[in-house]
Amino acid sequence: MTDPRDDQTPPRPRLAIAGASGFIGTALCRSLTDRYQVFALTRSMLVARAPQRDPGLIRRECDLFSLDAVRAALVGIEYAIYLVHSLVPSSRLTQAKPADMDLVLADNFAQAAAENGIRQILVVGGLIPEGFHISPLLWSRREVEMVLASRGTPVTALRAGLVVGPGGSATSLLVDLVRRLPVIPLPRAARSVTRPLALPDLVRAVRCCLGEPQRYRGPFDIGGPECLSYETMVRETADLLGRPRTVFTTRLLPVGLAALAARVVGRAPLALIAPVIESLPQDTILHDNPLLARIAPDAVPFRAALAGVLDEQRRRSLPNPRTPLIGPERTRHRRAGLVRSIQRIILPPGQDAAWVAGNYFRWLERALWPFVVTTRAADGSWTIWLRAPRWRLLSLRRMAAESTAQRQVYRIAGGLLSRSDAPGCARFEFQTLLGERYTMAAIHDYAPALPWPVYRWTQAPVHRWIMARYQRHLARLAR
């Protein structure tokens, strides 16, 4: 008699996708459930609590700014795909550059992946141009690759140009420009050439690489079959939509002004459009590699890929899967009233996060003399006092179990400037990354006690000024 266990298929490997609610993440979630048990990590409570229809897909709410939350989300995971960016606000007020937030998120993910023994991280980034001019967006994606690889987990980096798919910001911008403007002036940078990639081809590339960490380790350039300028892509879009348009490039249209004009015309936020426009002024050359050779024979041309993006009835681009979430997420952030602040600090040679934390609180008393006094408890906790009258402004309790030489965590546990009934865990973290090149000073989920308009125009700018001064202070020590 046959043992019934012989007929059981082996369990599918567990795959976590961080950034699963974007247009690339949505496509990958649909495509990979045949091979993997997919865990879609999202910071959106609305997405995480939506009804589950696909048995191969499990959604998990995960705050990637919290190392503990990422550790818990990656327990039992074998492979991971990282699609996260910080161009969309994650709190009511954010005092941080997107590139700095990206570093914190990537380092949390890399550390949690290493601790959970994940076999491979696959990240989708941008093509790096030849030469020395690299846009802030592309350099940020390169830094993310380095941070993800810095903790020892094998990393596969797929570097793609413009990805043409339903909901893509760049694709929607092309369609909106053609639909709404009879005359389309473009910056001279729109003559730069890239190889647009259809979303199904990106999905094929991911399927090829995933589960092969030794064969596909490091960066791989991928693109479609055609080298096209952005100007040509606008003309192709106009022709496909059947709308004759006058398209030309001019030196009189700076890239910054073009980004603002695109925001007026398009539907995407300026925070998403501006980095795309800034990435224009360079040609990108794909370096031959085994993955590119594997997907090239069946790669979809730009025109065919764009046709698959358009709504057949209204002849406009299909919306981003995240679009219905933007309004409710903004409302949730507004009601919570939380603040996030992140600054990148150049680390003096031979120092670590523990040194930076102690140095910061001692420096703060000198910087704000004679108004503020800082005191340190035996357990490493700090209290910030108003000198006269002696009022406790903030209490920062050191979390010993979560702190190491490379990461110091302080819970904001009270004081006149902090609300005690706020959601989340308000904390001040010092996080060293990239081989001790930088320390990130980050405040997460802070709820100010001052009325919001008062806080916005008093405490918030003072904190920004203080952190800028401290950045300059440590930069001088690092020289």
Side-chain angles (χ1 to χ4, degrees):
M1 187 171 66
T2 304
D3 189 334
R5 289 176 295 182
D6 294 339
D7 298 329
Q8 294 179 356
T9 57
R12 288 174 292 174
R14 292 186 163 202
L15 166 69
I17 301 180
S21 57
F23 85 105
I24 294 176
T26 299
L28 290 176
C29 285
R30 293 169 180 166
S31 171
L32 296 173
T33 52
D34 63 331
R35 293 186 184 179
Y36 300 89
Q37 176 66 66
V38 178
F39 292 80
L41 308 185
T42 175
R43 66 186 175 199
S44 172
M45 181 177 60
L46 299 175
V47 173
R49 298 181 182 180
Q52 306 290 343
R53 298 176 180 175
D54 189 336
L57 178 65
I58 298 174
R59 298 191 184 275
R60 286 181 176 175
E61 184 179 1
C62 178
D63 178 10
L64 294 181
F65 285 107
S66 168
L67 177 59
D68 285 343
V70 186
R71 282 185 182 128
L74 295 186
V75 170
I77 299 297
E78 297 170 71
Y79 302 98
I81 297 176
Y82 191 83
L83 305 169
V84 178
H85 64 74
S86 300
L87 299 177
V88 178
S90 59
S91 58
R92 184 172 183 179
L93 176 64
T94 300
Q95 292 182 320
K97 295 179 180 178
D100 294 342
M101 291 191 286
D102 283 338
L103 285 189
V104 171
L105 294 171
D107 190 60
N108 285 347
F109 197 85
Q111 185 169 334
E115 293 176 5
N116 281 287
I118 286 182
R119 301 177 187 176
Q120 179 188 24
I121 299 174
L122 188 147
V123 58
V124 178
L127 290 171
I128 305 299
E130 301 291 331
F132 297 101
H133 181 82
I134 301 178
S135 72
L137 175 64
L138 293 178
W139 180 247
S140 174
R141 303 317 298 167
R142 177 70 183 96
E143 284 188 320
V144 166
E145 292 176 16
M146 293 190 292
V147 171
L148 290 174
S150 66
R151 303 287 182 174
T153 304
V155 170
T156 302
L158 303 187
R159 296 178 178 174
L162 186 149
V163 178
V164 183
S169 299
T171 310
S172 299
L173 177 58
L174 283 173
V175 175
D176 288 340
L177 283 174
V178 169
R179 290 184 67 253
R180 301 183 182 188
L181 295 179
V183 178
I184 306 176
L186 300 172
R188 289 288 292 265
R191 294 180 181 178
S192 60
V193 174
T194 188
R195 284 175 61 174
L197 179 70
L199 181 58
D201 291 330
L202 175 59
V203 172
R204 285 199 299 125
V206 170
R207 290 176 68 90
C208 288
C209 295
L210 202 57
E212 300 279 353
Q214 300 307 319
R215 185 178 180 185
Y216 294 104
R217 186 168 184 171
F220 294 87
D221 293 348
I222 54 176
E226 304 159 294
C227 291
L228 299 175
S229 70
Y230 293 88
E231 179 185 6
T232 301
M233 285 188 272
V234 172
R235 296 182 187 277
E236 288 275 349
T237 303
D239 185 58
L240 184 63
L241 291 175
R243 302 197 178 197
R245 295 292 186 255
T246 301
V247 182
F248 63 94
T249 60
T250 175
R251 293 180 179 178
L252 302 179
L253 185 61
V255 171
L257 183 59
L260 183 59
R263 170 66 185 94
V264 174
V265 173
R267 291 169 289 171
L270 183 61
L272 294 177
I273 290 178
V276 174
I277 301 294
E278 289 176 356
S279 301
L280 295 181
Q282 53 258 304
D283 294 330
T284 52
I285 300 174
L286 273 64
H287 298 89
D288 292 335
N289 60 78
L291 180 61
L292 181 60
R294 191 167 176 180
I295 68 170
D298 300 317
V300 180
F302 171 75
R303 190 181 181 96
L306 185 63
V309 168
L310 299 176
D311 183 311
E312 289 295 334
Q313 295 180 344
R314 295 183 295 171
R315 304 299 290 173
R316 62 187 302 173
S317 59
L318 296 171
N320 190 304
R322 280 196 58 85
T323 300
L325 306 174
I326 294 176
E329 286 293 318
R330 284 179 178 170
T331 300
R332 186 166 70 93
H333 293 326
R334 183 176 181 83
R335 288 175 178 171
L338 301 182
V339 176
R340 192 180 314 282
S341 175
I342 300 175
Q343 287 76 35
R344 182 188 311 211
I345 296 170
I346 297 175
L347 194 62
Q351 306 300 341
D352 54 24
W355 179 88
V356 173
N359 180 271
Y360 170 77
F361 290 114
R362 294 184 181 93
W363 172 88
L364 184 65
E365 180 175 332
R366 298 195 304 270
L368 295 182
W369 187 90
F371 306 106
V372 163
V373 176
T374 60
T375 58
R376 183 181 185 275
D379 63 354
S381 300
W382 288 87
T383 304
I384 302 174
W385 304 85
L386 188 66
R387 186 179 294 269
R390 187 80 166 186
W391 290 343
R392 183 168 58 102
L393 299 179
L394 286 174
S395 292
L396 298 111
R397 183 185 307 153
R398 183 174 180 270
M399 311 302 290
E402 302 172 25
S403 297
T404 64
Q406 280 67 47
R407 182 187 294 261
Q408 294 290 300
V409 182
Y410 298 86
R411 179 160 188 180
I412 302 175
L416 292 176
L417 297 180
S418 176
R419 225 171 68 220
S420 59
D421 61 342
C425 176
R427 61 199 186 278
F428 194 2
E429 297 187 6
F430 296 85
Q431 177 178 349
T432 300
L433 45 75
L434 274 181
E436 300 186 349
R437 184 181 306 177
Y438 304 117
T439 290
M440 314 303 291
I443 293 177
H444 299 295
D445 296 336
Y446 171 64
L450 294 174
W452 191 260
V454 177
Y455 168 80
R456 187 69 184 266
W457 297 107
T458 56
Q459 187 182 344
V462 168
H463 174 73
R464 185 168 57 243
W465 172 76
I466 289 171
M467 295 310 300
R469 283 192 62 190
Y470 189 62
Q471 284 176 302
R472 293 194 295 269
H473 168 68
L474 283 196
R476 287 193 295 269
L477 294 181
R479 291 194 186 108

